[in-house]
Amino acid sequence: MKSRFKRSLAAALVLSMILSLAASPGLAAAAEGVEVYALSYGVTADDTLRISFNAVNRSASDAEPAFVLELSSGVDGEIIETKTLRGQTVDAGGDSLFYTDFDGLYEADEPVARLYTQGEYDDPEGNPVPLDTLDIGVWRDYVSATTVSTANHATTQFNAEQYTFRTYVKPVQDYGEQAWRFFFSNNLDFLGGVDPGTPFRITEAFLADGGADADGSVVAGSSVRVTYDGENARDVAAGERFWSDEAVLDLPEDHWLCFTWTIQPLAPYTMDNANIPIASESYAKSYAIAINDDIDGYASQETSVGFTVVYDENPGWGIMPNLFGVRKPGARRLSFLGDSITQGVGTPKGGDENYWVAKVARGLAEDPATQDIAVYNAALSGSRGFEAAYDGAWLARLKQEDEITLVHGVNDLGWYGRPAADVIESITKMVRSVRRANPSAAITLFTVPAFSFSEEAQDDWREVNQWKIGRAHV
């Protein structure tokens, strides 16, 4: 596969603190007694497509569940190949990784993977239960256009019947006429992506030119409707992960990209008990309108009337896409998974961010030799390595990246007092999980930066860093 790259990117990021390693995701629907999550794809060394997922046995007895994995063309829906996966025991209360390879199908025309139950876990009428869908072609062809992390840090209860959220981000380099798609995971990333949000409805969504100031308004006449499977509205299930349809926008150089949507809790949930994931401490500029009527049209509103600034609150917050994807087939992907240091918390906001991931992205964009590298910042303030090691929605949406940079450790050691052995175990689990799902991915470990550790934590800090530096492979 021509777009793959191994060490060139790591070489472009040479720092004394890194060690290079050779080398839709989330909680899905549950059948009776079993749940699957982290459906993701990767590519083996010989460019074979690999699809993987985790199964969790919720029943009281041991079981050997069977699943059907169907690969089809997203263009016409034609089934390309179907496989049955069975024989891997999932102990009571435990989980197990399933994966299978599809020879030579990574370059298929917009491939889509669909996962179903088979046999024991079918519904009472004996029909297979749909468990998850993965739009491989979309993940392959749409890459992150901004370094702003919009990972789901918390969940929020509404104090109104519905909300319109307006979010502004600055692309690193993707201006002019571009095709966009937006990904959202209805899961709480802060606990590793295994805690689903409650169901909600998207009543409408729009993409627009946010102008030069991101002041709550959009440039007149620039709004483009964002649809979902051809529909203006979409009902989102608990734990669901999904992409929007494509929307095309001509964005002038150095203007803000603006995404606006109106959402409301779905019955039986109301504003009193809904818990929908939000991005807090994000460097996106976000505004909101609380709505207590059934009037549509707030998302298409071009002025700032009624919108309240929420990104300046402590912490700032908003319900926003987890990935602002621009269409770039063949682009190379570099992702960062870490805590507030990687997210950029503490540096000024304003579209010209000074946190280190943003500087890396700008440096890559300015060099003609690395301009085709797309940077995805999935860092989450306050997070710990063991949360990513849960292998839920948070880690899973990075598995299809070309290079994954893991930058955890400060919170594990400094705030939660985890011993070195536990931190090393979490990192090892993350690396092994990514490698099993995507053998061709390059993984880069950053050593844990210096921090105001206690004397005991300093000893653990040195041990963790020596472990990283002293091993080429985990």
Side-chain angles (χ1 to χ4, degrees):
M1 186 179 55
K2 296 183 178 62
S3 66
R4 289 280 153 190
F5 69 113
K6 306 300 181 184
R7 304 310 175 110
S8 59
L9 183 52
L13 297 174
V14 170
L15 298 170
S16 62
M17 63 192 297
I18 69 173
L19 167 66
S20 291
L21 304 178
S24 254
L27 181 67
E32 185 67 29
V34 67
E35 292 175 353
V36 300
Y37 60 92
L39 183 65
S40 57
Y41 81 86
V43 181
T44 65
D46 59 356
D47 288 349
T48 294
L49 174 65
R50 173 168 292 182
I51 299 175
S52 63
F53 61 93
N54 293 325
V56 181
N57 182 10
R58 299 300 188 193
S59 67
S61 62
D62 293 349
E64 291 188 356
F67 302 94
V68 173
L69 191 58
E70 177 186 280
L71 190 69
S72 63
S73 168
V75 175
D76 55 17
E78 178 184 358
I79 296 176
I80 301 172
E81 189 172 347
T82 300
K83 290 190 176 185
T84 299
L85 285 70
R86 65 172 74 249
Q88 292 174 265
T89 300
V90 183
D91 296 333
D95 62 357
S96 180
L97 174 76
F98 288 74
Y99 64 85
T100 188
D101 296 340
F102 293 86
D103 293 341
L105 291 176
Y106 179 72
E107 300 295 350
D109 198 1
E110 297 186 17
V112 175
R114 292 181 175 86
L115 184 67
Y116 303 87
T117 60
Q118 186 181 72
E120 181 178 348
Y121 295 106
D122 289 349
D123 68 18
E125 286 73 39
N127 300 311
V129 177
L131 291 170
D132 208 354
T133 299
L134 181 67
D135 291 312
I136 299 168
V138 179
W139 281 105
R140 181 188 63 192
D141 294 341
Y142 288 80
V143 298
S144 172
T146 176
T147 61
V148 171
S149 173
T150 54
N152 293 328
H153 188 274
T155 58
T156 185
Q157 292 186 346
F158 281 30
N159 58 9
E161 294 179 7
Q162 56 182 328
Y163 266 94
T164 295
F165 291 94
R166 175 162 285 175
T167 301
Y168 298 82
V169 298
K170 271 285 186 75
V172 175
Q173 58 179 329
D174 299 296
Y175 294 96
E177 186 174 291
Q178 303 285 351
W180 297 89
R181 280 182 132 164
F182 305 93
F183 173 80
F184 185 80
S185 170
N186 192 15
N187 295 277
L188 179 60
D189 291 329
F190 189 72
L191 296 177
V194 296
D195 187 11
T198 52
F200 66 93
R201 172 172 294 150
I202 304 168
T203 61
E204 58 179 356
F206 287 87
L207 175 66
D209 175 359
D213 299 321
D215 59 2
S217 66
V218 301
V219 173
S222 69
S223 293
V224 178
R225 185 178 289 276
V226 177
T227 60
Y228 298 87
D229 296 325
E231 302 292 334
N232 295 342
R234 190 187 200 283
D235 288 353
V236 180
E240 190 173 2
R241 300 148 303 133
F242 60 94
W243 283 92
S244 73
D245 297 333
E246 181 179 277
V248 177
L249 178 72
D250 190 353
L251 186 68
E253 185 79 21
D254 211 34
H255 276 210
W256 292 79
L257 183 76
C258 181
F259 177 87
T260 310
W261 58 358
T262 299
I263 62 176
Q264 59 184 207
L266 273 179
Y269 296 95
T270 68
M271 65 181 185
D272 296 320
N273 60 6
N275 284 289
I276 301 174
I278 63 170
S280 65
E281 300 193 41
S282 172
Y283 274 65
K285 287 191 171 184
S286 50
Y287 297 76
I289 295 179
I291 307 167
N292 286 301
D293 54 46
D294 294 327
I295 300 174
D296 291 331
Y298 290 100
S300 61
Q301 177 180 304
E302 294 180 338
T303 70
S304 61
V305 174
F307 278 99
T308 300
V309 175
V310 291
Y311 70 88
D312 277 343
E313 296 179 8
N314 187 22
W317 65 286
I319 300 176
M320 59 190 71
N322 301 127
L323 197 155
F324 292 75
V326 64
R327 191 174 191 276
K328 276 189 173 181
R332 299 180 289 174
R333 305 160 185 268
L334 168 64
S335 62
F336 293 86
L337 190 68
D339 49 37
S340 60
I341 297 172
T342 305
Q343 185 173 351
V345 173
T347 56
K349 301 180 181 182
D352 209 13
E353 285 79 22
N354 292 314
Y355 50 90
W356 67 271
V357 173
K359 291 182 178 180
V360 167
R362 287 198 295 269
L364 293 172
E366 291 167 1
D367 186 342
T370 54
Q371 283 180 342
D372 67 336
I373 296 171
V375 172
Y376 180 31
N377 187 357
L380 190 61
S381 175
S383 64
R384 297 146 291 184
F386 72 84
E387 293 172 325
Y390 286 157
D391 200 12
W394 190 28
L395 181 62
R397 68 175 177 263
L398 275 68
K399 288 181 180 178
Q400 48 268 348
E401 301 287 284
D402 295 291
E403 184 160 338
I404 302 161
T405 307
L406 303 177
V407 202
H408 273 110
V410 167
N411 290 330
D412 296 78
L413 296 167
W415 293 107
Y416 297 94
R418 299 184 69 216
D422 288 357
V423 178
I424 291 169
E425 180 183 12
S426 295
I427 296 168
T428 302
K429 285 182 177 179
M430 283 188 274
V431 171
R432 287 177 177 170
S433 177
V434 170
R435 282 224 182 105
R436 287 186 300 179
N438 189 4
S440 70
I443 302 173
T444 301
L445 298 183
F446 274 42
T447 54
V448 182
F451 193 69
S452 56
F453 295 119
S454 67
E455 185 173 341
E456 182 179 0
Q458 285 183 28
D459 292 336
D460 289 312
W461 170 68
R462 294 187 183 94
E463 183 177 343
V464 170
N465 283 344
Q466 285 300 316
W467 174 82
K468 291 183 178 182
I469 293 169
R471 285 166 174 77
H473 302 278
V474 178

